[in-house]
């Protein structure tokens, strides 16, 4: 049994014994149906059979935001228990199939698929294309890890490298379909594949032997933290916010017009308590207000629902933007590439603008030094299956 | 095989489930004084506050026990004949057993003073108690609640949420005994005071005075009368040991409290062949540790271990696996490992700091911890205890909540929260 599965199994056993049925986890859950009973949920979690009916639907719609964890009076991790249910879903939701295109593979078909995908995206990626699924990695103190998010239509990866170039930092880059961190697969309950992918990424990072690995995705940060802890790869994972904050004195700082607010990403500022780093940067960049639900209470962008219930996701995202508007913000700043992918298409023009911390710093250096070679621009969103316009997440 | 279980709380319920998993042919009967099958007693505060319905209180779906072929007999057992392998219930009916589990928990709490049977004196251990508490809270006024543990503090929290003025009389010198020391008790005291609870330490009720058939005041051992509309009995009763005593099983002294407790080995077996015990009122003696049981999760885990062993398996309840998370008033409290053991080193947070932590070390390894007010790192500390990781030199850092413990302990194994 893999470590991921074994760790999760232990958490589930502990949780089942610890649950006192107070229902606080379901009360704060943004997707739990009111009719759902804890007794039924626990029963399905402890059973060996695939979940059925309402429980299966709930397991699929869970965003893995983790809001259920801090409210539990006995400290159990309901999100892990739902993940356990997800790992046993049969059939798996068709929305998960997209994940099968990520990660390493030895078959000829797989290699051709990756090559074709990268060829199609070459023009859009510009200079970044040289890093996508490249074979050769050079030793470097700093590694920028983008994984599959190198293809993100937010263009965050290219902007991060622009900033690194501005700082004259030496670095190596790891990104592409084959170096996806596997966290999405973990969140989809595919524990075996997730373990394989994390082991693969650990091996690739080992080739670079970096001192630190800078990541732009919240879940990539969670995955890299785990890789650093579990595999023999002695590096320090660093969020792009921390990296920016550390170099803040080297940027031509100025105040942006309007008021900003910050959306906490689940796996960095919320679950791992690193929300102060981006805020320290933002306070240097202009006026800031906090939304009523921020920090540990911040709702999730819904990325890890994988679009199973598009209407529900749309509502979650619109509600969050409304919250930002109600707080008096003209901009909602995110630090995670997936949060940006989730919120940007939903933002209505003229109301709250969704930007990343990287976007703001990138704007500063562009203004200071003129455009660096071929920055990647946010391209037109692609239609999603719910009729709203959602960019392809991570690919 | 005939399996009998005395008590249908978490220990009894989890034991029954484990037995059924191991022995599909077994006959399993569970006896309880409470007329209801296993329910979420620890959720009664949320039930009183109307945040969950009575349907939500049932810990398993309807028909679960029938499907598992577990028979519930809503009568308590009153005696055991260990030689003849029989028990007798409260109606004098006799049952044979091959394996017997004692999971009776604690006795119903009593004040033990004149006037204790008045209609407005209420406990907080059963569904019926909760219904009564809700009625009394809706009448407003002042309540006097006795005790300083989980039950009393839950009752006080509920009463405050429903607008009742609360005076908490704590017989012990501090709150949260035996888990918290003076520093931890002080943290809790401050929280209660901030929420408007009047706390009187080292004071107990000596009489309940009624007027016109209603409770009007209580007298205390400090000679003071406190006017009130009702009295909440939040002190835990002593372990129910009469049934064990009828089998000649002697009880040892109980840690940090009055009364005795039944000693079992790591397999949850008592000194009598075929008789096991689990949950509140037991102490596990294993590998040089003596661990006072108690608490929902611990009882559930012990019930499972006992059930596996009763059905012929081989499971051990180790002190390092002990984990109990509860809420004292509204502050989360976590007990990890051998939290009550004597170590060769111990560190405690500064009394003026927010939150309370006490970590116990032996031979350079963390063996137990008590956390109050902040559950961060509980899983990491738990894993460190389970793995017996040597942490010498990091003791003070481990008290801090702003240190990345995963990273600190990483060289010794897999600690990540994920």
């Amino acid at each position: 049994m893999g470590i991921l599965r074994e760790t999760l199994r232990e958490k589930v056993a502990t949780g089942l014994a610890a649950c006192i049925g107070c229902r606080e986890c379901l009360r704060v859950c943004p997707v739990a149906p009111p009719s759902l009973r804890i007794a039924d949920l626990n029963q399905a979690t402890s059973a060996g059979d695939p979940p059925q009916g309402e429980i299966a639907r709930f397991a699929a719609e869970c965003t893995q935001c983790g809001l259920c964890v801090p409210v539990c009076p006995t400290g159990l991790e309901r999100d892990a228990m739902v993940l356990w249910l997800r790992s046993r879903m049969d059939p798996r939701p068709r929305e998960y199939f997209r994940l099968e295109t990520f990660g390493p593979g030895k078959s000829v078909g797989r290699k051709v698929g990756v090559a074709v995908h990268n060829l199609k995206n070459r023009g859009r990626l510009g200079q970044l294309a040289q890093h996508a699924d490249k074979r050769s990695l050079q030793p470097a103190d700093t590694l920028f890890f983008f994984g599959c998010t190198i293809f993100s239509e937010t263009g965050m990866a290219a902007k991060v490298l622009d900033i690194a170039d501005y700082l004259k930092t030496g670095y190596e880059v790891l990104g592409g379909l084959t170096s996806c961190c596997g966290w999405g697969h973990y969140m989809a309950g595919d524990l075996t594949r997730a373990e394989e992918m994390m082991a693969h990424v650990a091996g690739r990072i080992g080739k670079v032997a970096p001192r630190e690995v800078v990541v732009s995705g919240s879940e990539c940060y969670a995955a890299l933290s785990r890789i650093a802890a579990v595999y023999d790869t002695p590096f320090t994972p660093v969020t792009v916010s921390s990296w920016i904050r550390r170099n803040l004195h080297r940027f031509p700082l100025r105040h942006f017009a309007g008021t900003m607010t910050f959306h906490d990403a689940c796996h960095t500022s919320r679950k791992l308590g690193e929300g102060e780093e981006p805020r320290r940067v933002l306070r240097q960049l202009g006026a800031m207000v906090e939304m009523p639900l921020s920090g540990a209470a911040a709702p999730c962008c819904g990325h890890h629902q994988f679009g199973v219930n598009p209407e529900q996701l749309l509502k979650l995202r619109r509600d969050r933007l409304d919250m930002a508007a109600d707080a008096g913000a003209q901009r909602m700043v995110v630090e995670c590439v997936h949060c940006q992918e989730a919120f940007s298409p939903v933002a209505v023009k003229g109301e709250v603008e969704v930007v990343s911390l990287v976007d703001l710093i990138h704007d500063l250096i562009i203004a200071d030094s003129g455009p660096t070679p071929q920055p990647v621009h946010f391209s037109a969103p692609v239609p999603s299956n719910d009729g709203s316009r959602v960019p392809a997440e991570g690919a | 095989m005939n399996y009998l279980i005395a008590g249908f709380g978490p220990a009894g319920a989890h034991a029954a489930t484990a037995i059924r998993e191991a022995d599909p042919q077994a006959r399993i009967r569970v006896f309880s004084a409470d007329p209801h099958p296993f329910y979420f007693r620890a959720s009664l505060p949320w039930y009183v506050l109307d945040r969950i319905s009575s349907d939500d209180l049932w810990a398993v779906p309807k028909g679960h026990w029938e499907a598992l072929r577990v028979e519930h007999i809503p009568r308590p057992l009153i005696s055991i004949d260990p030689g003849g392998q029989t028990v007798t219930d409260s109606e004098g009916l006799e049952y044979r057993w091959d394996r017997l589990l004692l999971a009776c928990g604690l006795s119903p709490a009593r004040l033990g003073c004149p006037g204790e049977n008045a209609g407005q004196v209420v406990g907080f251990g059963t569904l019926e108690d909760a219904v009564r508490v809700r009625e009394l809270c809706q009448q407003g006024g002042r309540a006097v609640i006795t005790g300083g543990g989980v039950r009393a503090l839950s009752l006080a929290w509920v009463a405050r949420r429903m607008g009742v003025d609360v005076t908490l009389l704590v017989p012990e010198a501090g709150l949260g005994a035996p888990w918290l020391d003076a520093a931890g008790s002080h943290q809790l005291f401050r929280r209660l005071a901030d929420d408007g609870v009047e706390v009187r330490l080292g004071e107990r009720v000596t009489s309940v005075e009624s007027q016109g058939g209603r409770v009007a005041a209580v007298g205390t051992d400090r000679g003071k009368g406190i006017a009130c509309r009702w009295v909440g009995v939040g002190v835990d009763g002593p372990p129910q040991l009469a049934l064990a005593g009828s089998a000649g099983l002697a009880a040892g002294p109980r840690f940090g409290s009055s009364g005795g407790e039944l000693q079992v080995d790591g397999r949850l077996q008592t000194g009598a062949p075929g008789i096991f015990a689990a949950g509140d009122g037991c102490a596990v003696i294993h590998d040089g540790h003596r661990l006072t049981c108690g608490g929902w999760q611990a009882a559930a885990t012990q019930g499972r271990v006992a059930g596996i062993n009763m059905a012929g398996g081989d499971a051990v309840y180790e002190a390092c696996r002990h984990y109990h998370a509860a809420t004292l008033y509204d502050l989360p409290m976590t007990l990890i490992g051998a939290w009550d053991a004597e170590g060769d080193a111990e560190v405690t947070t500064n009394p003026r700091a927010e939150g309370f932590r006490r970590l116990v070390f032996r031979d350079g390894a963390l063996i137990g911890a008590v956390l109050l007010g902040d559950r961060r790192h509980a899983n990491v500390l738990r894993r460190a205890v389970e793995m017996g990781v040597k942490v010498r030199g990091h003791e003070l850092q481990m008290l801090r909540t702003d240190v990345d413990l995963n990273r600190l302990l990483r060289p010794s194994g897999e600690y990540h929260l994920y």
Side-chain angles (χ1 to χ4, degrees), chain A residues 34-113:
Chain A
S35 56
L36 191 60
R37 294 214 181 282
I38 285 286
D40 295 327
L41 191 54
N42 287 352
Q43 173 86 346
T45 309
S46 67
D49 306 327
Q52 304 290 331
E54 186 181 45
I55 305 281
R57 202 162 44 250
F58 169 62
E61 290 179 355
C62 166
T63 63
Q64 285 291 306
C65 66
L67 282 176
C68 48
V69 178
V71 298
C72 175
T74 65
L76 71 83
E77 295 175 48
R78 177 65 67 186
D79 56 349
M81 294 166 77
V82 178
L83 194 51
W84 187 248
L85 281 169
R86 245 184 207 184
S87 74
R88 300 204 319 263
M89 282 204 285
D90 184 22
R92 293 169 68 71
R94 61 185 171 78
E95 289 80 2
Y96 292 0
F97 295 168
R98 182 173 66 80
L99 292 165
E100 290 175 7
T101 57
F102 298 85
K106 287 182 180 166
S107 72
V108 174
R110 174 99 188 97
K111 287 175 180 168
V112 170

Side-chain angles (χ1 to χ4, degrees), chain B residues 87-161:
Chain B
V87 292
T88 307
D89 74 11
S90 58
E91 290 189 356
L93 299 172
E94 203 173 270
Y95 306 85
R96 267 198 59 75
W97 53 268
D98 297 301
R99 296 283 184 276
L100 173 63
L101 175 68
L102 306 180
C104 309
L106 306 176
S107 308
R110 292 188 54 203
L111 281 177
C113 67
E116 68 168 337
N117 296 322
Q120 292 78 38
V121 176
V122 63
F124 199 37
T126 65
L127 180 53
E128 285 68 28
D129 288 342
V131 171
R132 188 80 183 110
V133 165
R134 184 191 282 170
E135 289 168 2
L136 292 168
C137 283
Q138 283 165 349
Q139 295 168 18
R142 176 168 294 277
V144 168
I145 295 170
T146 64
V150 172
R151 197 189 305 263
L153 291 166
S154 296
L155 188 49
W157 177 73
V158 164
R160 285 301 296 142
R161 302 284 79 70

